[in-house]
Amino acid sequence: MSLVIRPYTMNDFEGLLDLQREAFPPPFPEDLWWKPEQIQAHIRNFPKGAMVALLDDKIVGSATSLLIQFDGKPHTWVEVSDNGYIEGSHDPAGDSLYGIDVCVRPSYRGNGIAAALYQARKDLVVELGLKRYLAGCRIPNFHLYANQLTSQEYVERVVRGEIKDLVLTFMLRQGLHPIQILDDYLDDEESLNKAVLVEWKNPNI
């Protein structure tokens, strides 16, 4: 089996929806799965940021990004993604690639698919001469420590390897580094609505 990563098109919509059904089953609300008009907007505004991963022609993962001019200001997922449409937030002249979504079929996890999607994003940062890759990283294990640690202290302990976080530990392995806590980033009980902004800098700049 060989993994292929390429831009997604509207012909991939049913496969992308099937991927989301498997990755986010009920009680996850169906109205939060990608809608055709959102996929169309990704393709229209920034096709290079709309990536799909295939194994033997089956869609097993996807990742969506946009370009922003990074100013360090706090933000939410809804603001940076234009509620998932990227129409009003994508800046073609921006200096940073911002990831708003990564999804891998649960039955295919552990096969390097997410890592390959992150590598494709790093390659895109270099190809476009951007300064960095950014993402708002969930910290889903934070609720287990919230009565003992602030979110900043929790992130610092994850970075030191003293605590494992389901998402942040993976991001650290991809070479991303935390730079900022984001409050009220996304409705997310496990992360207590917090995220940490993570960064990978273009080594050529």
Side-chain angles (χ1 to χ4, degrees):
M1 294 193 297
S2 61
L3 182 66
V4 173
I5 294 179
R6 62 161 173 77
Y8 58 69
T9 71
M10 284 310 295
N11 292 333
D12 296 311
F13 179 71
E14 285 304 320
L16 289 168
L17 190 59
D18 187 56
L19 166 67
Q20 295 230 311
R21 285 193 194 101
E22 183 175 326
F24 307 115
F28 188 89
E30 290 185 21
D31 60 357
L32 293 183
W33 293 341
W34 287 133
K35 300 174 180 64
E37 52 269 32
Q38 289 173 316
I39 297 297
Q40 185 67 64
H42 303 162
I43 296 166
R44 182 173 59 250
N45 287 282
F46 189 44
K48 287 190 171 185
M51 299 177 180
V52 67
L54 299 102
L55 267 179
D56 296 334
D57 294 326
K58 180 176 182 177
I59 291 177
V60 293
S62 69
T64 306
S65 307
L66 67 152
L67 298 180
I68 67 163
Q69 185 66 35
F70 182 54
D71 57 12
K73 292 179 181 175
H75 56 271
T76 67
W77 184 87
V78 167
E79 290 168 343
V80 75
S81 72
D82 187 22
N83 206 23
Y85 286 86
I86 80 168
E87 202 101 55
S89 52
H90 174 65
D91 179 355
D95 64 3
S96 303
L97 184 72
Y98 195 110
I100 60 167
D101 170 67
V102 168
C103 185
V104 175
R105 287 187 188 274
S107 53
Y108 284 81
R109 288 176 186 165
N111 290 293
I113 295 165
L117 286 165
Y118 274 97
Q119 185 58 52
R121 285 170 154 176
K122 293 176 188 174
D123 293 344
L124 184 57
V125 167
V126 173
E127 176 192 331
L128 299 180
L130 302 170
K131 290 184 177 177
R132 62 181 69 78
Y133 170 75
L134 295 165
C137 172
R138 296 180 61 235
I139 43 176
N141 293 84
F142 175 53
H143 71 282
L144 300 173
Y145 298 88
N147 62 346
Q148 313 161 37
L149 304 172
T150 66
S151 55
Q152 183 67 44
E153 291 168 339
Y154 174 80
V155 167
E156 288 170 359
R157 290 193 60 178
V158 174
V159 169
R160 291 198 297 267
E162 297 169 4
I163 296 174
K164 279 193 174 182
D165 184 87
L166 189 62
V167 179
L168 179 55
T169 297
F170 170 80
M171 295 287 227
L172 296 172
R173 288 185 188 138
Q174 307 314 308
L176 284 85
H177 302 284
I179 58 173
Q180 184 180 359
I181 298 291
L182 298 172
D183 294 319
D184 300 318
Y185 184 71
L186 188 67
D187 287 340
D188 178 354
E189 288 185 15
E190 292 178 320
S191 305
L192 303 184
N193 300 341
K194 294 180 181 293
V196 55
L197 189 66
V198 291
E199 176 185 48
W200 179 83
K201 290 184 178 178
N202 184 344
N204 297 336
I205 292 181

